[in-house]
Amino acid sequence: AMLWRNDRGEGRDLTFRELSDLSTRTANLLSARGLQKGDTLMAVLRTHWEYWVAAIAAHKLGLLFSPVYYRLTAEDIRYRMETAGVKAVITCRDGEADRHVLAAAEQAGVTLRFSIDGAAPGFEDFHACIQDQPATMERVQTHCKEPILVYFTSGTTGQPKAVLHNHLYALGNHCGARYMQDVSENSIHFATGDTGWEVVGGTKFYGQWLNLG
């Protein structure tokens, strides 16, 4: 499913089965901590592979998934947290991401906070938390017209606007991947881009995987 590499020479190859297992464990963790269908999970994860795990987990629970750019200020993140009604956040510790996320979360009252880079002041260790969670779960019923994602515009004029996408958004990316990027069953598709931006949904997620099967 994914051949992940970063600029520090680290890498991980993930199968669809592994992503299914990890995302189910994540979904069970979030559910055990009180999140339920309709709640919002924010991700500030740059280009880490855990982004896809968190997104799939959110989709499995019927949560709203809100990706955010990791270089935003604390005030930028606080505004997005309050606007989207965020209940939990998962972040990396690249740059000042964790410091800004923590400051924003404390102001916005977001108490459920995870870091993919180990435990840190104000954050639980994401990987340690999902390790003992079950790899099976009860299916949460969702509908194609129900919201799945909440992105924020760039805020060129005025404050950024929250933009909702429903489940059909994921299917809509199929055509772009197939006919613009020529992704097919045996493709290896390379794409850059921070997961905080909407373009990731169309360049290295939904459409690409839909065309691999």
Side-chain angles (χ1 to χ4, degrees):
M2 180 185 298
L3 310 176
W4 179 84
R5 306 291 185 269
N6 69 10
D7 58 359
R8 296 189 292 271
E10 299 169 328
R12 179 156 184 177
D13 297 352
L14 289 156
T15 66
F16 284 111
R17 182 177 295 276
E18 288 172 318
L19 286 167
S20 176
D21 179 89
L22 289 166
S23 60
T24 295
R25 293 180 188 276
T26 302
N28 281 324
L29 168 65
L30 297 172
S31 179
R33 297 298 184 86
L35 268 71
Q36 54 189 343
K37 183 178 179 180
D39 288 339
T40 304
L41 170 67
M42 176 173 281
V44 190
L45 289 173
R46 198 181 181 188
T47 53
H48 294 281
W49 59 265
E50 288 90 347
Y51 172 87
W52 285 262
V53 172
I56 299 168
H59 300 341
K60 286 181 175 182
L61 286 176
L63 304 178
L64 276 170
F65 188 62
S66 185
V68 167
Y69 184 46
Y70 83 108
R71 287 194 180 275
L72 293 182
T73 67
E75 177 60 23
D76 291 330
I77 297 171
R78 179 203 60 78
Y79 168 77
R80 287 161 174 77
M81 284 180 167
E82 292 179 350
T83 302
V86 170
K87 296 292 182 67
V89 61
I90 176 172
T91 188
C92 60
R93 295 170 66 184
D94 293 34
E96 296 184 290
D98 58 328
R99 184 170 70 85
H100 290 168
V101 167
L102 180 58
E106 289 178 339
Q107 294 178 45
V110 180
T111 57
L112 191 57
R113 305 182 293 256
F114 301 98
S115 167
I116 63 169
D117 297 311
F123 294 94
E124 298 180 69
D125 183 335
F126 170 72
H127 291 286
C129 287
I130 67 171
Q131 185 174 1
D132 295 327
Q133 292 294 323
T136 59
M137 61 178 288
E138 292 293 326
R139 178 177 177 178
V140 175
Q141 294 293 331
T142 57
H143 188 275
C144 64
K145 296 292 182 69
E146 292 176 338
I148 188 175
L149 290 157
V150 55
Y151 287 111
F152 282 86
T153 63
S154 58
T156 305
T157 58
Q159 289 282 33
K161 310 301 189 295
V163 180
L164 284 175
H165 290 293
N166 62 26
H167 288 254
L168 292 174
Y169 166 84
L171 295 177
N173 282 282
H174 175 277
C175 293
R178 178 66 186 89
Y179 298 108
M180 294 175 63
Q181 300 163 0
D182 196 28
V183 177
S184 59
E185 184 175 355
N186 296 314
S187 293
I188 297 178
H189 175 74
F190 175 76
T192 61
D194 190 283
T195 58
W197 305 117
E198 187 273 342
V199 68
V200 165
T203 59
K204 53 182 181 181
F205 197 168
Y206 306 106
Q208 290 68 40
W209 282 350
L210 286 169
N211 280 281
L212 289 178

